[in-house]
Amino acid sequence: MKEAELQMLGQVSFLFYFHPKNKAELQTLLMQGNFRQIIFADHANKLNELNDFPDEREYQCFLLNEKNQVVLIGNPAINPKLWDIYKQAVMGENLIQYNKVEKTTIEIKQTEIELEELSVHETTTKVFVLKNTGNAPLLINNISSSCGCTVPEWDKHPINSGDSTEIKVKVTPDVSGFFRKSIKVSCNIQEEVIQLVVRGMIKE
């Protein structure tokens, strides 16, 4: 959720529970993603035993109301359309004002970037450049990746007409062989979502 949405939303509480198979791996992923929120490490998997959560990760995210009743199920980080439904449920009429944001256009020098000479567990950073070619500021609402081994970073501020911005993607492959991961960018353009790709062959 971006800063403009949070300002309209007010205050929302988030609880992050993890059941890590490997504590060191979880710490590495959180550091790579610059994740600074408080988390709960449920090593004994007690939360799942109490609630019997589904195995599919896309159904392991819930929106609760003030009575702790489940309102929505699904992970909005991997589904932009579901993200819109979550915002509608949380923000109500305030979302109408947000959706009135003027559309712009963008130009992307490269939508696919090739990895070169990268080995398993080695980290590299690839950069996608987006230029705002329209008349309205470019607002990047959210960026999600298809795997935890690709971690995007971007400027949360509006990008003025004629200016460019960078999306930096930290890539840390965990297996050798062919590598292809997608990064979905949600922003105020007509298409709403654009897809960027990082691909290549990973050495042992």
Side-chain angles (χ1 to χ4, degrees), residues 104 130-132 136-140 155-166:
T104 189
L130 280 64
K131 182 178 181 180
N132 182 2
L138 172 63
L139 306 173
I140 298 178
D155 188 353
K156 309 301 191 298
H157 297 91
I159 310 303
N160 292 326
S161 177
D163 290 346
S164 297
T165 188
E166 294 183 345

Side-chain angles (χ1 to χ4, degrees), residues 170-183:
K170 289 185 179 179
V171 182
T172 311
D174 49 10
V175 293
S176 60
F178 182 70
F179 182 96
R180 188 183 190 280
K181 303 298 177 182
S182 61
I183 299 94

Side-chain angles (χ1 to χ4, degrees), residues 119-165:
S119 301
V120 176
H121 301 311
E122 180 184 352
T123 300
T124 187
T125 300
K126 296 299 180 181
V127 178
F128 294 91
V129 179
L130 280 64
K131 182 178 181 180
N132 182 2
T133 56
N135 297 320
L138 172 63
L139 306 173
I140 298 178
N141 305 327
N142 187 49
I143 300 180
S144 61
S145 63
S146 59
C147 176
C149 58
T150 52
V151 180
E153 297 178 354
W154 71 99
D155 188 353
K156 309 301 191 298
H157 297 91
I159 310 303
N160 292 326
S161 177
D163 290 346
S164 297
T165 188

